[in-house]
Amino acid sequence: LCCQCGVPIPPNPANMCVGCLRAQVDITEGIPKQGTVHFCKQCERYLQPPGTWIQCALESRELLALCLKKIKASLSKVRLIDAGFIWTEPHSKRIKLKLTVQKEVINGAVLQQVFVVEYVVQSQMCEDCHRIEAKDFWKAVVQVRQKTVHKKTFYYLEQLILKHRLHQNTLRIKEIHDGLDFYYSSKQHAQKMVDFLQCTVPSRSKSSQRLISHDIHSNVYNYKSTFSVEIVPICKDNVVCLSPKLAQSLGNMSQICVCIRVTSTIHLIDPRTLQIAEIDGNTYWRHPFNSLFHPKQLEEFIIMDINRVHERKKGAGAGARSNKHTLAEAWVRKTSELDTDHQYFCCTHLGHILNPGDLVLGFDLANCNLNDEFANKMNPQHIPDVVLIKKSYDRSKRQRRRNWKLKELERDREASDTDDERQYQDFLEDLEEDETIRKNVNIYRNADIPVESDTDDDGAPRISLAEMLEDLHISQDATGGEGAEMLT
């Protein structure tokens, strides 16, 4: 019999029924039944003391752990068996936890009890949102600049940043006429961005900081840091003139070269010998050189006759040659001068894709006024009449059949013009033509454009389906839209 109420019970160490045992002993004594959690309305994060703000969904495992940490010290005297949420209206500012605990009581008897802890959600603005509201939201800025007319390098850099997710810590990206500004909440994030830029594009950087405030009692200084990154002013398909000293150090290559791509180094090719060279950022700033022409100065030529040169004697001390290109000698005529008999003779590195009758874009050096310190000192016999850059295809047809797309960074743009669109199309065509650059870029399949057969193909380079990624689309049904039942 129970020693308190006399009810027959199975024997236990306390000789009491469960009702009397609970009346005598409360194992939840000392555990708070109410508490508070702080929530930032702007960024929708919860405060994890002392100063960490974390993202938690309602009734998530992370929110449960955060609430239990607030009563962790009180739960040390009991054994926690189960914890879960009791449903509350999402806008009620209340979170209820149902806890099951056990504890050993009189004479070794184990008592189990279920109770509810209620938390009141209080609004508190986090430091990051407070800085944004105070219009003092950034502590470091990275200013990326390139003094060129064409933005090919910036488009390539944008895809690298997206692929490596370097934009996640960015507060704001602002586009200006010759570059981009990246704003950050900490100097460490900005330094990480600068290190990434120096590894991916040939550049140089310098930094400065400005004192905003100073607390003389705690000796705390508040600085705003500025990092300036200057990218070399050379883009793909530029014709450059090297200094004699630099050309000699690169294996006695010709001073007039063509830039075939810009990655972490500048890749140059000599159209006369197929000799290739790579110039890193440090070498460029020691021996700087400029582009001889703007992309708008490209002229269209037609191939009248072409002969591939299979064997050419190497010069003394010559460096490596390109295996992807074929050396050829060609007679070309401007499409604007088809009514004349004036032809130009040139050596080209595009012998593997050019045939008589093809259209090709190039620069006319014979009829131009070169304003370059190295080109003006060269022997005129060593300057070619024409430098061919790339084969010309029908741009409108290429745009129609382009069944892929790229993602873009969200940024504050200036008023874009038709020239920006033309430059972006040039970059897309470069991706189709150069497999090396394509490996570093995430290309997504565009489901809106059907896959065409290759029967009407005019020979323009295209990206295969195997190189494309499927773009992830999360439908409203999958996430349980507004008013939908919760997925279990």
Side-chain angles (χ1 to χ4, degrees):
L1 300 177
C2 174
C3 65
Q4 291 288 329
C5 61
V7 176
I9 58 168
N12 63 47
N15 283 334
M16 287 188 193
C17 65
V18 175
C20 294
L21 196 57
R22 283 184 176 164
Q24 294 288 327
V25 180
D26 182 14
I27 64 172
T28 64
E29 188 178 1
I31 301 176
K33 307 300 188 294
Q34 287 185 334
T36 57
V37 291
H38 294 92
F39 177 72
C40 177
K41 289 181 179 179
Q42 270 77 5
C43 59
E44 298 184 349
R45 294 187 297 175
Y46 290 89
L47 174 63
Q48 181 174 332
T52 309
W53 292 83
I54 58 174
Q55 200 89 26
C56 298
L58 279 175
E59 299 193 8
S60 66
R61 188 178 295 180
E62 292 81 8
L63 185 58
L64 182 64
L66 184 126
C67 293
L68 288 176
K69 280 182 182 177
K70 289 187 169 290
I71 56 173
K72 184 178 179 181
S74 307
L75 291 174
S76 60
K77 298 179 182 178
V78 296
R79 183 184 177 194
L80 183 64
I81 300 299
D82 188 29
F85 287 99
I86 298 176
W87 188 86
T88 54
E89 171 64 37
H91 302 94
S92 65
K93 299 288 185 182
R94 297 291 185 274
I95 298 174
K96 290 185 178 181
L97 293 188
K98 181 181 179 182
L99 305 181
T100 305
V101 296
Q102 282 184 352
K103 187 179 180 181
E104 189 175 317
V105 289
I106 306 168
N107 296 331
V110 176
L111 190 62
Q112 180 170 312
Q113 193 169 336
V114 178
F115 66 103
V116 175
V117 180
E118 182 178 330
Y119 291 93
V120 178
V121 180
Q122 292 186 349
S123 297
Q124 178 180 330
M125 190 179 288
C126 67
E127 290 182 5
D128 295 338
C129 296
H130 196 277
R131 294 179 67 85
I132 293 174
E133 289 298 317
K135 307 299 180 187
D136 184 30
F137 60 94
W138 61 273
K139 283 189 175 179
V141 59
V142 179
Q143 299 173 340
V144 188
R145 300 289 183 269
Q146 187 184 30
K147 297 173 182 177
T148 57
V149 177
H150 208 291
K151 298 180 180 178
K152 281 184 181 180
T153 309
F154 273 110
Y155 291 132
Y156 174 65
L157 194 59
E158 177 185 18
Q159 297 305 317
L160 289 178
I161 291 171
L162 284 166
K163 182 172 184 177
H164 295 280
R165 300 178 182 273
L166 258 292
H167 62 292
Q168 288 186 331
N169 297 321
T170 310
L171 298 176
R172 178 189 176 201
I173 302 174
K174 184 180 179 183
E175 180 180 328
I176 60 174
H177 67 283
D178 61 348
L180 294 170
D181 288 347
F182 297 88
Y183 293 90
Y184 294 92
S185 59
S186 70
K187 185 178 178 180
Q188 289 76 17
H189 290 152
Q191 185 64 57
K192 186 178 178 183
M193 183 66 171
V194 173
D195 295 341
F196 173 78
L197 292 174
Q198 290 182 332
C199 292
T200 51
V201 287
S203 58
R204 62 179 176 181
S205 66
K206 55 185 179 181
S207 62
S208 64
Q209 56 185 16
R210 180 163 59 98
L211 182 64
I212 303 301
S213 61
H214 171 213
D215 187 352
I216 59 173
H217 301 291
S218 60
N219 206 26
V220 173
Y221 292 82
N222 183 18
Y223 289 102
K224 277 193 172 182
S225 303
T226 301
F227 295 88
S228 176
V229 180
E230 184 181 356
I231 303 174
V232 296
I234 304 296
C235 290
K236 185 180 183 297
D237 297 338
N238 281 168
V239 176
V240 298
C241 184
L242 308 179
S243 65
K245 186 177 179 181
L246 179 59
Q248 185 180 8
S249 67
L250 296 174
N252 288 330
M253 67 190 302
S254 173
Q255 287 182 246
I256 303 290
C257 296
V258 178
C259 176
I260 50 177
R261 78 177 63 90
V262 177
T263 54
S264 56
T265 56
I266 304 171
H267 297 254
L268 299 178
I269 188 168
D270 183 356
R272 288 184 171 184
T273 61
L274 294 189
Q275 192 172 327
I276 54 175
E278 294 183 14
I279 299 176
D280 59 9
N282 293 330
T283 306
Y284 176 84
W285 298 117
R286 284 200 305 270
H287 306 281
F289 51 87
N290 297 314
S291 174
L292 298 180
F293 297 94
H294 296 308
K296 292 180 181 179
Q297 293 173 282
L298 275 171
E299 296 188 63
E300 195 173 54
F301 295 85
I302 185 168
I303 303 291
M304 306 306 293
D305 190 20
I306 186 165
N307 297 314
R308 288 164 182 80
V309 180
H310 298 290
E311 197 65 42
R312 173 159 286 191
K313 187 179 177 182
K314 268 193 173 186
R321 287 187 178 182
S322 173
N323 296 322
K324 295 183 178 179
H325 299 85
T326 302
L327 188 62
E329 296 176 343
W331 287 94
V332 297
R333 184 184 294 179
K334 287 185 184 179
T335 53
S336 58
E337 299 177 354
L338 289 178
D339 53 341
T340 66
D341 294 333
H342 193 191
Q343 295 187 12
Y344 301 89
F345 175 78
C346 64
C347 290
T348 179
H349 58 291
L350 304 174
H352 57 297
I353 58 174
L354 294 182
N355 294 298
D358 285 346
L359 295 176
V360 62
L361 297 175
F363 293 110
D364 180 8
L365 278 74
N367 301 314
C368 71
N369 184 15
L370 291 178
N371 186 18
D372 185 83
E373 57 172 327
F374 301 129
N376 294 337
K377 296 176 183 177
M378 284 182 65
N379 187 340
Q381 295 179 353
H382 295 160
I383 299 178
D385 291 341
V386 171
V387 176
L388 302 182
I389 300 297
K390 60 180 180 179
K391 189 174 178 180
S392 178
Y393 300 98
D394 186 354
R395 168 166 283 188
S396 59
K397 187 182 288 186
R398 290 181 77 170
Q399 283 184 246
R400 283 198 308 271
R401 64 171 52 168
R402 187 171 289 141
N403 58 343
W404 54 274
K405 59 185 177 181
L406 300 175
K407 291 189 175 180
E408 295 184 12
L409 288 173
E410 293 183 7
R411 55 184 182 267
D412 300 339
R413 296 177 180 270
E414 291 183 337
S416 59
D417 52 11
T418 54
D419 192 45
D420 287 347
E421 180 61 29
R422 183 186 62 81
Q423 293 181 18
Y424 188 65
Q425 292 299 326
D426 285 345
F427 172 68
L428 297 182
E429 290 175 5
D430 289 344
L431 282 181
E432 291 175 335
E433 294 166 10
D434 195 340
E435 186 181 353
T436 308
I437 296 179
R438 212 157 58 219
K439 290 178 181 176
N440 302 326
V441 175
N442 283 344
I443 296 170
Y444 297 89
R445 188 176 180 279
N446 191 354
D448 299 334
I449 299 176
V451 180
E452 295 183 1
S453 62
D454 295 337
T455 53
D456 59 340
D457 199 357
D458 57 353
R462 300 175 67 177
I463 297 179
S464 63
L465 284 172
E467 297 178 78
M468 300 181 196
L469 301 172
E470 285 291 338
D471 198 2
L472 180 63
H473 290 288
I474 301 176
S475 64
Q476 190 75 1
D477 299 333
T479 56
E482 202 171 330
E485 292 184 5
M486 186 180 294
L487 300 177
T488 56

